[in-house]
Amino acid sequence: MGPPGSGKGTQAKRLAERYRVMHLSTGDMLRAEIASRHALGRSAQGYMDRGDLVPDGLILDMIRSRLQEIPEDGGFILDGFPRTVAQAEELDGLLNGLHLPLERAVLIEVSDAQIKIRLSGRARLEGRSDDTDEVIDRRLDVYRRQTEPLIALYEKRGLLSRVKGEAPVESVFAELEHLRTE
Ligand code: B4P
């Protein structure tokens, strides 16, 4: 978890390579659905362009089948999911059904000022339609209202770890690797 642009995708990709586990990013899945012009992508695009979360029903339809692909003895990293309390509740049910435990929830902490600098940089590099100034403000607001409640939820379960996301990519990765051995 973490605000938009906190480095969830950047770090999840590296962790998945390092530990050879499945990387399941709902943001990447949505962008692939949009690129291939599938119905789900067409429904999701407007929400993403405005900086809103894609409705829970669409996200859950998409992730349900992907979770089934996790090998029985394999690990997995969820990136950008769950983002709402409803998604977290559904995830619990899905993982219980698959006998897969959730070992840890990681929160990558980054200030709003740093987020704005990073996302305008990404807009220049990748041309993502959801990285304009106005949409970034909306995404931060949506994060506060809809995703931040998950922090308390995972903290209460004793699963939450926090990492300082403003350090260079390598240092954040080192901190995450250190969590593995704790
Ligand atoms: P995501 O694709 O999840 O993307 P994100 O939150 O914007 O970024 P992330 O945190 O992964 O940042 P990144 O590593 O790229 O979501 C996009 C949209 O999809 C959402 O707004 C929503 O509409 C929809 N969506 C996705 N999942 C959903 C769900 N479960 N429910 C509903 N809707 C959903 O890093 C950002 C930039 O910072 C990069 O340019 C990177 O190079 C740089 N960077 C990263 N770490 C850095 C560091 N340590 N130092 C300096 N720069 C760094």
Side-chain angles (χ1 to χ4, degrees):
M1 286 185 289
S6 51
K8 301 181 292 289
T10 304
Q11 298 296 339
K13 213 172 291 161
R14 284 170 161 247
L15 286 170
E17 278 165 18
R18 168 82 173 78
Y19 295 106
R20 296 172 195 275
V21 292
M22 262 180 91
H23 172 205
L24 297 169
S25 155
T26 40
D28 286 352
M29 288 176 208
L30 288 168
R31 283 183 288 276
E33 293 283 341
I34 291 170
S36 56
R37 297 171 195 276
H38 287 153
L40 196 150
R42 284 201 302 275
S43 313
Q45 179 142 40
Y47 295 99
M48 292 172 78
D49 287 349
R50 284 194 299 278
D52 285 328
L53 292 184
V54 173
D56 290 335
L58 289 183
I59 296 290
L60 292 166
D61 283 348
M62 198 176 65
I63 195 96
R64 221 172 261 129
S65 57
R66 298 301 302 276
L67 283 172
Q68 312 283 345
E69 293 168 15
I70 300 171
E72 252 174 55
D73 54 350
F76 60 97
I77 294 178
L78 297 169
D79 161 11
F81 174 85
R83 259 174 156 101
T84 63
V85 171
Q87 290 180 18
E89 286 169 352
E90 183 76 15
L91 175 66
D92 286 340
L94 291 169
L95 291 180
N96 274 339
L98 294 166
H99 307 290
L100 290 169
L102 194 62
E103 284 174 8
R104 199 182 286 271
V106 179
L107 173 65
I108 306 184
E109 297 180 299
V110 178
S111 68
D112 287 7
Q114 179 66 22
I115 293 296
K116 289 184 186 181
I117 294 170
R118 281 189 193 175
L119 293 186
S120 6
R122 189 170 69 180
R124 279 192 298 277
L125 284 173
E126 298 178 20
R128 263 176 58 170
S129 56
D130 56 350
D131 282 344
T132 60
D133 286 347
E134 207 175 291
V135 178
I136 294 167
D137 285 340
R138 169 95 190 137
R139 289 166 69 198
L140 283 167
D141 179 53
V142 165
Y143 173 74
R144 298 269 122 76
R145 286 186 290 109
Q146 296 188 258
T147 308
E148 269 191 356
L150 297 184
I151 299 172
L153 190 146
Y154 287 114
E155 203 154 40
K156 215 154 77 187
R157 289 196 206 167
L159 290 179
L160 191 80
S161 298
R162 296 168 188 263
V163 298
K164 294 184 192 68
E166 298 208 10
V169 172
E170 287 302 335
S171 314
V172 179
F173 185 64
E175 210 182 325
L176 288 166
E177 279 195 296
H178 183 68
L179 289 180
R180 265 297 279 187
T181 55
E182 267 179 9

